[in-house]
Amino acid sequence: MEKLIITAAMVGAEVTKEQQPNLPITPDEIAEAAYECYKAGASIVHVHARDKDGNPTQDFEVYKEIKEKIEAKCNIIVQPSTGGAVWHSADERLQPVDLKPEMATLSAGTCNFGPDVFMNSEEYMEKFAAKMLENGVKPEIEVFERGMIDNALRLAKKGLLKTPIHFDFVLGIPGACPGTPEDLMHMVRCIPADSTWTVAGIGRTQLTMSTMGILLGGHVRVGFEDNVYYKKGELAKSNAQLVERVVRLANELGRPVATPDEAREILGLKK
Ligand code: KMH
Ligand code: ZN
């Protein structure tokens, strides 16, 4: 089995300081949290930016500041979000791709997202994929429902997505696919054999999905974007604490953890 790539999704667009007092918000806080996650064993940070009031923003300059601050501290892979928040327009969402990061997320279809709708029409997906291709950015395909795998395969068939594809199964969003072992195993069975994949379990599904990811030879995403708790009724102290738990699990289960450069090798990123 490949070494385990751990992604820290530290901020997100939906979580508030009221829900998680240790949520990093400013570029300095996000860079420090990324450095802590790196020291704990993460090789990718999935980044969302916030404005001065703490609201989600896709502003190019804010992402630039965050990326530069993280890269000044460590060589972790910086993966900006192009999902943003549900109310962001496609053009707003695409701004961080102009930074030419090594990776960025690409959501592969529309779904309910709690009380909202997360819009990713065919037109959006093609536009996002084309822009990432043009800028040499490797997409991480966000899959919230089974049919989104086929949407990604169609992009590849049209030459808008290079293979092998890297998928992220985001399971347990209210309104989309649940985070059960059976759901994850079905997703894994449906992707091309040469693909790589990671799993992000939302809320209480995070620990189960992380363990499944380690055992099935996939990779794992944890962090406040997906889950603010350490266990039922107990908030996590930091994003790094959640990464540390995955490292301990991986050690117990005999799966070595990848450094950022090893993750680059596994994902075919050139640096
Ligand atoms: N905040 C969600 C609506 C991504 O980062 O690419 C979308 C999201 C996906 O978080
Ligand atoms: Zn995200």
Side-chain angles (χ1 to χ4, degrees):
M1 256 185 218
E2 282 161 344
K3 287 193 177 181
L4 179 73
I5 300 171
I6 303 173
T7 301
M10 308 172 292
V11 189
E14 291 78 25
V15 182
T16 63
K17 279 262 192 201
E18 286 68 44
Q19 293 166 321
Q20 173 44 268
N22 298 324
L23 182 74
I25 295 277
T26 66
D28 282 315
E29 286 171 351
I30 294 171
E32 188 53 33
Y35 185 48
E36 286 173 16
C37 290
Y38 161 79
K39 285 189 292 182
S43 47
I44 302 177
V45 274
H46 169 62
V47 175
H48 283 254
R50 299 289 180 106
D51 66 16
K52 293 206 159 33
D53 300 318
N55 296 316
T57 177
Q58 287 297 104
D59 186 83
F60 174 85
E61 292 300 333
V62 186
Y63 272 99
K64 182 167 183 281
E65 187 180 349
I66 295 169
K67 183 170 178 286
E68 287 172 357
K69 286 193 156 143
I70 295 173
E71 287 173 350
K73 286 178 183 287
C74 57
N75 78 336
I76 199 162
I77 298 163
V78 179
Q79 179 204 79
S81 169
T82 70
V86 289
W87 63 86
H88 285 134
S89 69
D91 287 335
E92 281 178 287
R93 285 168 52 182
L94 271 170
Q95 291 176 78
V97 176
D98 287 322
L99 285 168
K100 301 188 192 303
E102 292 179 89
M103 296 182 87
T105 53
L106 197 172
S107 291
T110 300
C111 61
N112 282 9
F113 203 92
D116 302 305
V117 174
F118 182 34
M119 175 58 75
N120 294 288
S121 64
E122 190 90 8
E123 187 191 337
Y124 276 35
M125 289 186 274
E126 291 187 3
K127 183 173 172 154
F128 281 43
K131 180 147 182 164
M132 290 190 206
L133 198 59
E134 192 185 306
N135 284 278
V137 177
K138 172 144 182 157
E140 177 182 272
I141 300 297
E142 307 301 292
V143 171
F144 299 87
E145 290 282 13
R146 158 72 183 88
M148 296 186 187
I149 293 172
D150 298 82
N151 292 344
L153 299 183
R154 263 201 313 284
L155 290 176
K157 212 166 179 183
K158 288 179 183 169
L160 291 167
L161 188 59
K162 284 190 191 162
T163 57
I165 302 172
H166 179 61
F167 293 93
D168 177 24
F169 304 122
V170 185
L171 303 183
I173 296 274
C177 184
T180 70
E182 291 78 9
D183 285 299
L184 176 61
M185 287 171 73
H186 185 53
M187 294 280 190
V188 174
R189 276 194 293 267
C190 291
I191 58 177
D194 66 350
S195 310
T196 50
W197 62 272
T198 190
V199 61
I202 304 301
R204 73 192 64 176
T205 74
Q206 187 162 86
L207 186 53
T208 324
M209 290 298 98
S210 299
T211 312
M212 293 287 294
I214 297 167
L215 290 171
L216 293 176
H219 304 282
V220 171
R221 177 174 115 171
V222 290
F224 290 166
E225 172 166 349
D226 302 332
N227 162 48
V228 295
Y229 289 98
Y230 188 74
K231 58 185 179 202
K232 194 171 190 294
E234 184 184 317
L235 286 173
K237 291 188 182 64
S238 63
N239 281 291
Q241 187 192 22
L242 295 168
V243 173
E244 282 161 9
R245 174 162 64 184
V246 176
V247 171
R248 281 199 304 279
L249 281 169
N251 286 338
E252 286 294 326
L253 296 168
R255 182 102 189 262
V257 173
T259 63
D261 282 340
E262 288 168 340
R264 287 184 176 96
E265 195 75 38
I266 293 166
L267 296 171
L269 304 174
K270 44 185 182 319
K271 177 117 192 180

